[in-house]
Amino acid sequence: MINLQTAENALKTFYLDAVKDLLDTKTSPLLAMVERTSENVYGKEVKKAIRVGLSGGVAAGTETGDLPKADPSNYMQLTAPLKNLYGTIEISDKAIRASQGNEGAFVNLLNAEMDNLFRSAKYNFGRMIMGNGKGIICYGKVDKNGKFVANDTSALHVGMGIVFTETDGSPADEEERKIKSVDRETGIVEVTGSELPWAENDEAAISALGCGEEICGVQSLFDNETLYGLTTEQYQSIAPKKVSLGSYINWEDIQKMVDIVEEECGTTPNLIICGWGMRRAIVRHCMDMGMTLPTMQIEGGYTALNFNGIPIVTDRFCPKGTLYFLNTNDIKLYQLGDWEWMESDDGKILHQVPGKPVYTATLVKYAELVFERPNAVACLTDIKEG
């Protein structure tokens, strides 16, 4: 007989392994190529010592002269708190009772809930991987009618839970809202709740729930003056390179950025990330040159454009007119463990919501993305897409 215990057993044994694989490999091409490890995790923090620059000890000399002095290597310690990542499903008591005696209906019920969880987790986790840790989804202004006008609506969807924040990520008010509608042409976003906390033409931002507590993704390397517990001076000495192009893309520009990383950091990028519009611009450049850029398969089953052996992949959360150059060997997802169901003292994962005929289960992971050599990352921005 199908009951609550049957649902728990299915979530623990079958669905957990499936969702782990999906979230680890299908969230984004970058995440699929990044190593996941619990090494260097101490309590609630990641602590990683990195070598900076070169040490002495190598030099030419005479047969009888002094040997070169072996200077100690220069090290910095990166320190970052593990972030708390959650995903929740809900199953009503009525749905469970309705599927009693019908295994097919029960499986469909769990499949639907897990599919919704995966799509939501993939979206939010993928956004964090490319984000700056502040949780800002888009920027915008308030029009004369008191409506929020977004500068980019690509990451906004009806039903999303959001909060309004200032452009630096600080709260504009304490109200949690939901998106009612998004006009892709005008950029107008309708939300639930009270009036917007700004006047006409004020600059504003839409952020995710839990903003400020997110993983520090790719953009955090460029948007933050300090990172990983380093002082401003320390971080600037290992900060990544950012170059503004101001024109259409060509192969020389891409190769130049690869050369910059090789020259300044001694490593070669093995992944280039762009948005959909940027990929179209690259394909158009190929057509103008009378050539076809070959494709290649990379980890996670993704198909990428092949630039001299370096895959160019798309990510919906990559800013417009931007190319990121990374070496995934220098990036780690540090974690206490993989995704797990949150259990109570008695081992239960499904819990009744107080006062409601609904049961919830929460998937949890404690992790942080760490770029162990920030200066091995580069960004080519302000590229015309068309």
Side-chain angles (χ1 to χ4, degrees):
M1 180 178 176
I2 294 173
N3 52 31
L4 202 60
Q5 187 59 52
T6 309
E8 284 217 358
N9 293 338
L11 291 174
K12 285 182 177 180
T13 58
F14 177 75
Y15 288 99
L16 182 57
D17 288 338
V19 79
K20 282 181 181 179
D21 180 65
L22 288 171
L23 291 177
D24 287 344
T25 63
K26 301 301 181 183
T27 294
S28 73
L30 172 59
L31 190 60
M33 297 177 66
V34 168
E35 178 185 350
R36 286 165 288 279
T37 179
S38 57
E39 186 180 358
N40 299 313
V41 175
Y42 302 93
K44 298 180 181 181
E45 292 183 327
V46 178
K47 294 182 180 293
K48 171 67 177 180
I50 62 170
R51 182 179 292 132
V52 180
L54 295 174
S55 61
V58 178
T62 65
E63 293 183 35
T64 59
D66 294 334
L67 294 173
K69 183 179 180 180
D71 297 328
S73 297
N74 296 319
Y75 285 92
M76 287 185 185
Q77 179 164 289
L78 308 183
T79 302
L82 295 175
K83 304 301 171 56
N84 311 317
L85 309 175
Y86 303 106
T88 302
I89 65 170
E90 286 191 357
I91 304 175
S92 70
D93 181 67
K94 183 178 181 180
I96 294 177
R97 293 177 185 273
S99 61
Q100 288 180 351
N102 187 337
E103 293 185 1
F106 175 71
V107 170
N108 289 337
L109 168 67
L110 290 185
N111 281 344
E113 287 298 326
M114 293 305 297
D115 181 63
N116 288 334
L117 172 63
F118 169 67
R119 288 192 290 122
S120 177
K122 177 183 177 181
Y123 174 89
N124 285 287
F125 200 25
R127 178 180 53 75
M128 293 181 199
I129 293 298
M130 291 300 300
N132 61 10
K134 298 178 181 178
I136 296 176
I137 301 174
C138 72
Y139 298 95
K141 288 187 176 182
V142 179
D143 66 11
K144 62 182 180 180
N145 298 317
K147 305 294 184 182
F148 183 92
V149 182
N151 62 349
D152 183 0
T153 62
S154 59
L156 299 175
H157 298 279
V158 174
M160 284 180 58
I162 59 100
V163 293
F164 282 125
T165 60
E166 306 298 344
T167 54
D168 63 356
S170 60
D173 61 22
E174 301 297 326
E175 188 173 358
E176 294 186 3
R177 308 166 188 260
K178 284 194 175 183
I179 296 178
K180 296 194 296 183
S181 66
V182 180
D183 190 320
R184 305 293 179 186
E185 293 188 4
T186 64
I188 294 177
V189 183
E190 295 275 3
V191 299
T192 61
S194 58
E195 294 183 358
L196 273 58
W198 301 287
E200 182 181 350
N201 292 325
D202 282 352
E203 294 186 350
I206 286 179
S207 297
L209 301 179
C211 57
E213 302 295 334
E214 296 190 344
I215 282 176
C216 291
V218 177
Q219 293 180 51
S220 65
L221 300 178
F222 301 91
D223 292 352
N224 300 319
E225 293 184 357
T226 61
L227 197 64
Y228 304 137
L230 302 177
T231 64
T232 301
E233 182 179 356
Q234 287 175 320
Y235 181 66
Q236 292 308 310
S237 68
I238 58 171
K241 187 74 172 181
K242 185 175 183 179
V243 176
S244 177
L245 185 61
S247 63
Y248 292 101
I249 194 69
N250 61 60
W251 294 134
E252 184 179 357
D253 296 318
I254 298 178
Q255 187 60 57
K256 184 177 180 180
M257 292 302 295
V258 173
D259 294 343
I260 286 175
V261 175
E262 290 182 347
E263 179 181 358
E264 296 193 2
C265 197
T267 186
T268 302
N270 66 355
L271 185 67
I272 300 174
I273 302 177
C274 66
W276 292 316
M278 194 68 255
R279 180 173 62 180
R280 292 193 295 270
I282 291 173
V283 171
R284 185 168 58 249
H285 175 64
C286 289
M287 295 173 63
D288 293 341
M289 296 287 291
M291 60 177 289
T292 301
L293 193 65
T295 60
M296 60 192 299
Q297 295 291 317
I298 61 174
E299 292 182 49
Y302 296 95
T303 300
L305 299 176
N306 186 339
F307 177 77
N308 295 336
I310 305 174
I312 301 177
V313 299
T314 57
D315 192 298
R316 69 181 301 164
F317 299 108
C318 185
K320 292 181 178 179
T322 302
L323 286 172
Y324 287 113
F325 298 75
L326 312 99
N327 190 316
T328 57
N329 296 318
D330 298 322
I331 309 171
K332 300 288 190 300
L333 183 69
Y334 287 103
Q335 57 189 30
L336 278 178
D338 212 338
W339 292 97
E340 295 288 347
W341 293 112
M342 186 179 292
E343 297 185 0
S344 58
D345 293 339
D346 58 1
K348 299 292 185 181
I349 63 173
L350 279 170
H351 308 278
Q352 183 181 357
V353 178
K356 295 185 178 180
V358 173
Y359 297 92
T360 67
T362 301
L363 205 61
V364 62
K365 183 172 186 169
Y366 305 105
E368 178 60 291
L369 192 69
V370 176
F371 296 79
E372 297 180 345
R373 289 204 289 178
N375 54 346
V377 179
C379 175
L380 186 61
T381 187
D382 193 26
I383 309 170
K384 294 182 179 181
E385 294 186 350

